[in-house]
């Protein structure tokens, strides 16, 4: 089978022709460069209308085939700019009808991942997908690609373009920022990571102000790039630590940046994982990724009916079943002396006087420049030490703090014996030996752990979920934001009590926005462990959360609406 793919989600028009054995026969593309400002949706649509017919002819000639050899037409259904998507879909329908062949619409984001896997040989990677319209950390779990983290406002490519427009740089902004950054020095800019999510709008505003105040453009570009990319690598590192996958892949147009590639390669190496990046012609928007995904989907589902080829402007990555993907059992293997390795720190066995303890050390991050690394490690060590004590005051159980060393960026604390909530819920729907693989892969899978999990299963998960919500409510009522509430940072100790750990991203805030982001981080982490029951668990958490407040202080509908609003944000709007 030979598939012709048509890409047209934003400013790039792309045509690709791919065989069902994975051989890319040809690529053809043309990018719109506006004279000033950003990409206007109607201009992008006009650009596609002009170039799709020309590029089809070019791709056919490069592949050394005729139109009659095409067996399937695939097109990017979304996400993207509405007018651009509709023009692309219309052209695809016209081609399929004229050739009397099947047609299929595909998800643009998944296209990037699949062409990346095809080109690099990666099997089951954690993917950082960064482009003009998307910034997502994605990995396969339970039949779909799950979004572990993403931007809560604008994407990194869009952030670079916005900064470029504000400072008079040519479009697109990314290559110009990279070029100028080579001669710059560091200035302090805001660093905004929220669990496995991040935000760029504040960074754009602060960097623009620095330029307007007279700071050298080279220094602003250097600092913007180092800050933004450190944020992206950190959330990728946190997801890698959470999933324990041993492959990391970079894809999307911003992958062209050499500094970002260098930082991710260093981080993957530090986590004993392999780093992959497809060739540049497959990183940016291209027709081959649309054609290859069209083949994969057609093999699994068959083609679309013509009346079902509507576009989906906000087409979420995690809305698509991907039965052709196989989950790998390969996991990161840590040295014996490290109990656990996270994005924040490494955990080592320790003692305090004659009491068994753990030492949490925020080691130097090789991918971050010294100025950013020192600031973050010191700040988070101080915050965690303070919040570990503060949350106890409001009635939330956390490890006892024994000692703090700001020079080494380390704290010594009580060792909690028990089970991560992540490991507990991973076993809830176990029906056969295959489902029990997760338990077999637990690092400390001894008889004691097995008995604890078995005992926990006798207690309704609903009770734990409600109790988690109540505990988060207690923190939020006192304006304590955990900052990284994941199912890996909640433990059930040997007395079946909930213990909250890892407060390094915590802060004080009375903003409903920050409190809802806390809840969103938890919801996403639950979905990554077991999507089938995640929503039910989260609903119970919300029940407990609301119950911890006085009725006049908070309303469940308002919380749900705010969570939905935050999750719906992004570049692609009507």
């Amino acid at each position: 089978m030979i598939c012709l793919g048509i890409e047209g989600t934003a400013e790039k028009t792309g045509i690709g022709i791919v065989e069902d054995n994975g051989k890319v026969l040809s690529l053809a593309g043309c990018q719109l460069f506006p004279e000033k400002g950003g990409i206007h949706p109607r201009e992008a649509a006009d650009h596609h209308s002009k170039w799709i017919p020309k590029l089809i002819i070019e791709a056919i000639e490069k592949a050394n085939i005729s139109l009659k050899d095409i067996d399937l037409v695939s097109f990017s259904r979304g996400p993207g700019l509405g007018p651009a998507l509709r023009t692309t879909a219309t052209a695809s329908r016209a081609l399929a009808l004229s050739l009397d062949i099947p047609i299929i619409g595909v998800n643009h984001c998944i296209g990037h991942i699949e062409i990346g896997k095809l080109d690099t040989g990666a099997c089951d990677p954690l993917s950082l997908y960064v482009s003009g319209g998307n910034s997502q950390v994605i990995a396969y779990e339970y039949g779909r690609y799950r979004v572990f983290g993403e931007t809560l406002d604008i994407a990194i490519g869009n952030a670079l373009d916005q900064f470029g427009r504000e400072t008079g740089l040519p479009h697109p902004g990314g290559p110009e920022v990279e070029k100028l950054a080579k001669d710059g020095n560091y200035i302090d800019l805001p660093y905004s990571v929220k669990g496995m999510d991040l935000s760029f709008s504040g960074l754009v505003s602060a960097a623009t102000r620095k330029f307007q105040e007279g700071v050298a453009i080279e220094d602003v570009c250097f600092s913007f790039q180092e800050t933004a990319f450190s944020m992206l690598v950190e959330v990728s590192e946190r997801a890698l630590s959470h999933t324990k996958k041993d492959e990391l892949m970079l894809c999307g147009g911003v992958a062209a940046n050499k500094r970002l590639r260098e930082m991710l390669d260093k981080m993957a190496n530090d986590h004993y994982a392999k780093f992959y990046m497809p060739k540049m012609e497959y990183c940016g928007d291209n027709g081959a990724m649309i054609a290859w995904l069209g083949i994969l989907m057609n093999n699994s589902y068959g083609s679309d009916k013509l009346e079902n080829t509507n576009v989906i402007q906000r087409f979420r990555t995690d809305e698509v079943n991907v039965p052709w993907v196989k989950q790998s059992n390969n996991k990161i293997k840590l040295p014996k002396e490290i109990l656990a390795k996270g994005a924040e720190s490494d955990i080592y066995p320790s003692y305090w006087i004659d009491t068994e303890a753990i030492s949490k050390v925020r080691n130097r991050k090789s991918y971050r420049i010294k100025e950013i690394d020192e600031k973050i490690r010191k700040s988070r060590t101080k915050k965690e030490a303070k919040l570990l004590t503060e949350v106890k005051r409001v009635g939330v159980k956390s490890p006892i703090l024994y000692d703090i060393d700001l020079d080494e960026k380390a704290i010594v604390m009580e060792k909690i014996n028990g089970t991560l909530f992540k490991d507990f819920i991973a076993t809830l729907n176990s029906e056969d030996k295959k489902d029990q693989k997760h338990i077999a892969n637990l690092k400390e899978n001894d008889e004691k752990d097995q008995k604890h999990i078995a005992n926990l299963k006798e207690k309704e998960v609903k009770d734990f979920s409600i109790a988690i919500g109540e505990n988060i409510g207690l923190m939020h009522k006192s304006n304590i934001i955990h900052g990284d509430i994941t199912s890996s940072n909640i433990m059930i100790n040997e007395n079946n009590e909930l213990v909250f750990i890892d407060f390094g991203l915590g802060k004080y805030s009375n903003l409903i926005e920050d409190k809802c982001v806390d809840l969103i981080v938890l919801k996403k982490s639950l979905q990554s462990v077991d999507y089938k029951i995640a929503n039910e668990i989260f609903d119970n958490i919300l029940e407990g959360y609301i119950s911890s407040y006085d009725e006049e202080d908070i309303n469940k509908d308002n919380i749900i609406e705010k969570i939905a609003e935050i999750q719906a944000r992004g570049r692609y709007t009507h």
Side-chain angles (χ1 to χ4, degrees), residues 32 39-48 81-84 86-87:
L32 170 64
I39 301 299
H40 190 281
R42 178 45 57 192
E43 289 179 359
D46 292 342
H47 183 264
H48 298 328
L81 304 172
R86 289 189 286 274
T87 298

Side-chain angles (χ1 to χ4, degrees), residues 558-571:
N558 291 341
I559 292 292
I560 293 172
E561 287 173 9
K562 189 65 176 180
I563 288 173
E565 178 211 321
I566 294 170
Q567 289 181 310
R569 293 173 190 165
R571 169 181 171 181

Side-chain angles (χ1 to χ4, degrees), residues 69-295:
D69 295 317
I70 301 299
D71 301 301
L72 176 69
V73 174
S74 177
F75 70 98
S76 46
R77 196 176 184 187
L81 304 172
L85 290 172
R86 289 189 286 274
T87 298
T88 302
T90 299
S92 302
R93 293 186 202 106
L95 181 62
L97 285 169
S98 65
L99 297 177
D100 192 26
I101 57 176
I103 184 172
I104 191 165
V106 305
N107 181 283
H108 172 90
C109 307
I110 296 177
H112 276 288
I113 296 172
E114 292 300 347
I115 196 69
K117 288 166 58 181
L118 175 68
D119 186 56
T120 64
C123 175
D124 182 23
L126 178 88
S127 298
L128 174 61
Y129 167 40
V130 280
S131 68
N134 297 279
S135 294
Q136 296 180 336
V137 180
I138 304 166
Y140 175 81
E141 295 281 353
Y142 294 96
R144 293 186 180 187
Y145 284 113
R146 308 296 178 185
V147 178
F148 284 73
E150 61 191 316
T151 174
L152 294 172
D153 42 41
I154 57 176
I156 180 58
N158 195 6
L160 289 162
D161 290 342
Q162 281 191 23
F163 172 71
R165 288 196 297 273
E166 294 294 332
T167 54
L169 299 177
H171 182 88
E176 296 298 321
V177 170
E178 182 179 14
K179 183 167 63 176
L180 290 166
K182 293 176 182 178
D183 298 317
N185 296 299
Y186 180 71
I187 59 171
D188 192 36
L189 291 174
Y191 188 101
S192 183
V193 165
K194 303 175 180 182
M196 282 188 277
D197 291 328
L198 53 150
S199 170
F200 292 113
S201 57
L203 175 61
V204 173
S205 299
T208 302
R209 282 196 301 272
K210 291 291 186 182
F211 173 76
Q212 293 168 345
E213 291 167 2
V215 177
I217 185 64
E218 292 84 0
D219 293 346
V220 182
C221 287
F222 175 80
S223 305
F224 185 104
Q225 182 171 273
E226 289 296 326
T227 303
F229 291 170
S230 292
M231 290 159 55
L232 284 166
V233 178
E234 180 183 332
V235 297
S236 301
E237 186 177 15
R238 187 163 284 112
L240 198 65
S241 175
H242 181 74
T243 62
K244 302 293 189 292
K245 291 185 184 292
D246 66 347
E247 296 177 323
L248 173 68
M249 186 173 73
L250 173 64
C251 56
V254 183
N257 190 290
K258 292 181 180 178
R259 176 60 178 145
L260 178 58
R261 300 202 298 264
E262 177 187 70
M263 293 168 75
L264 284 164
D265 190 23
K266 286 182 178 180
M267 183 273 281
N269 185 63
D270 289 345
H271 270 262
Y272 310 96
K274 298 181 287 291
F275 175 65
Y276 296 95
M277 196 193 87
K279 292 189 285 289
M280 275 313 305
E281 59 259 39
Y282 301 133
C283 284
D285 295 350
N286 64 89
M289 70 184 201
I290 304 303
W292 177 236
L293 181 54
I295 289 171

Side-chain angles (χ1 to χ4, degrees), residues 38 62-63 87 99 106 125 169 227 257 273 282 328 344-345 350 372 404 410 493 543 558:
K62 283 184 176 180
T87 298
L99 297 177
V106 305
L169 299 177
T227 303
N257 190 290
Y282 301 133
S328 170
E344 274 293 293
S345 54
S350 182
I372 293 177
I404 177 171
N493 68 15
E543 180 183 330
N558 291 341

Side-chain angles (χ1 to χ4, degrees), residues 83 301 534:
Y301 302 122

Side-chain angles (χ1 to χ4, degrees), residues 361-477:
V361 184
R362 286 181 166 84
N363 291 314
R364 168 90 170 86
K365 296 295 182 183
S366 62
Y367 65 83
R368 287 196 295 235
I369 59 172
K370 182 179 179 180
E371 294 89 340
I372 293 177
D373 191 67
E374 184 74 14
K375 176 181 73 172
I376 289 173
R377 289 164 60 221
K378 186 173 183 178
S379 169
R380 291 179 179 174
T381 302
K382 291 172 67 175
K383 281 181 180 177
E384 178 157 32
K386 183 177 182 179
L387 289 174
L388 279 171
T389 302
E390 188 68 15
V391 294
K392 292 184 182 69
R393 183 184 62 80
V394 302
V396 176
K397 193 170 183 61
S398 64
I400 298 169
L401 177 67
Y402 294 136
D403 193 20
I404 177 171
D405 185 338
L406 286 181
D407 291 333
E408 296 296 325
K409 316 299 185 292
I411 56 178
V412 179
M413 69 182 87
E414 174 189 10
K415 181 184 179 183
I416 304 297
N417 293 310
T419 303
L420 296 178
F421 191 61
K422 176 181 77 171
D423 295 333
F424 170 45
I425 61 177
T427 67
L428 292 176
N429 285 336
S430 298
E431 295 174 355
D432 53 37
K433 292 182 180 179
K434 183 179 179 181
D435 290 328
Q436 292 287 352
K437 279 185 178 179
H438 183 85
I439 298 178
N441 288 329
L442 291 178
K443 186 173 182 181
E444 296 181 2
N445 185 35
D446 56 20
E447 187 177 346
K448 186 177 180 181
D449 291 331
Q450 291 280 18
K451 285 181 179 179
H452 189 221
I453 290 174
N455 290 334
L456 290 177
K457 292 180 75 172
E458 294 175 4
K459 184 175 176 67
E460 288 287 339
V461 66
K462 182 177 181 180
D463 294 341
F464 280 123
S465 303
I466 291 173
I468 288 171
E470 291 170 345
N471 276 268
I472 298 172
L474 290 174
M475 287 188 277
H476 286 183
K477 281 173 67 176

